[in-house]
């Protein structure tokens, strides 16, 4: 696993400006993954997609990015940036996985969940490949940590 820099210095400045504008117009509602996807695409100059939990968030000429927001509990005075570059758990891309109700052994359920998850990731990767003339897919997960304050 590797951590990639998300933005150039100029893009980071644009993100700060766009986020400030987005938050100012939210009227107290919760910031959502679709909001972050909009800001990310605008900062990168990427056309926005219609955001949905059921599709990959960014699919642009071979780049596929799945965004996840992750609430970070109180950090005892440490800045939220202290979690950047660390391994964070998140149930990403699991909304379509279904589990049998009864009569199935635990290991069979585990194998079925992994099979479904693998098929979902491959479907999303193929979708990104189709959008690239070269047929490549650069698949990424973007995590946006946030805190209550």
């Amino acid at each position: 696993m590797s951590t990639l820099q998300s933005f150039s210095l100029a893009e980071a400045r644009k993100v700060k400006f766009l986020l400030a504008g987005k938050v100012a117009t939210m009227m107290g509602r919760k910031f959502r993954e679709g909001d972050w996807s909009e800001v990310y695409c605008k900062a990168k100059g990427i056309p926005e997609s219609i955001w949905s939990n059921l599709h990959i968030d960014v699919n642009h000429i071979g780049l596929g990015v799945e965004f996840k927001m992750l609430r970070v509990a109180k950090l005892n005075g440490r800045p939220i940036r202290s979690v950047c570059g660390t391994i964070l758990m998140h149930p990403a891309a699991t909304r379509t996985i279904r589990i049998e109700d009864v009569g199935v052994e635990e290991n069979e359920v585990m194998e079925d969940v992994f099979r479904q998850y693998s098929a979902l990731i491959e479907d999303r990767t193929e979708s990104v490949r189709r959008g690239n003339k070269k047929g490549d897919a650069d698949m990424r997960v973007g995590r946006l940590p946030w805190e209550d304050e």
Side-chain angles (χ1 to χ4, degrees), residues 4-15:
L4 303 173
Q5 182 173 333
S6 299
F7 302 106
S8 68
L9 190 56
E11 290 169 338
R13 286 186 190 118
K14 195 170 185 179
V15 164

Side-chain angles (χ1 to χ4, degrees), residues 130-147:
R130 283 193 305 268
N132 185 3
K133 291 179 184 177
K134 295 179 184 177
D136 297 333
D138 180 3
M139 302 298 288
R140 301 179 185 196
V141 174
R143 292 182 175 90
L144 180 66
W146 64 277
E147 57 189 346

Side-chain angles (χ1 to χ4, degrees), residues 1 3 8 10-11 28 31 33 42 49 54 58 61 63 79 92 97-98 111-112 118 126 147:
M1 180 178 84
T3 302
S8 68
E11 290 169 338
F31 191 76
E33 289 165 350
K42 284 181 179 177
S49 303
L54 301 177
V58 173
I61 311 175
L63 172 64
I97 292 176
R98 300 295 172 246
E111 290 172 6
D112 187 47
S118 178
E126 185 56 34
E147 57 189 346

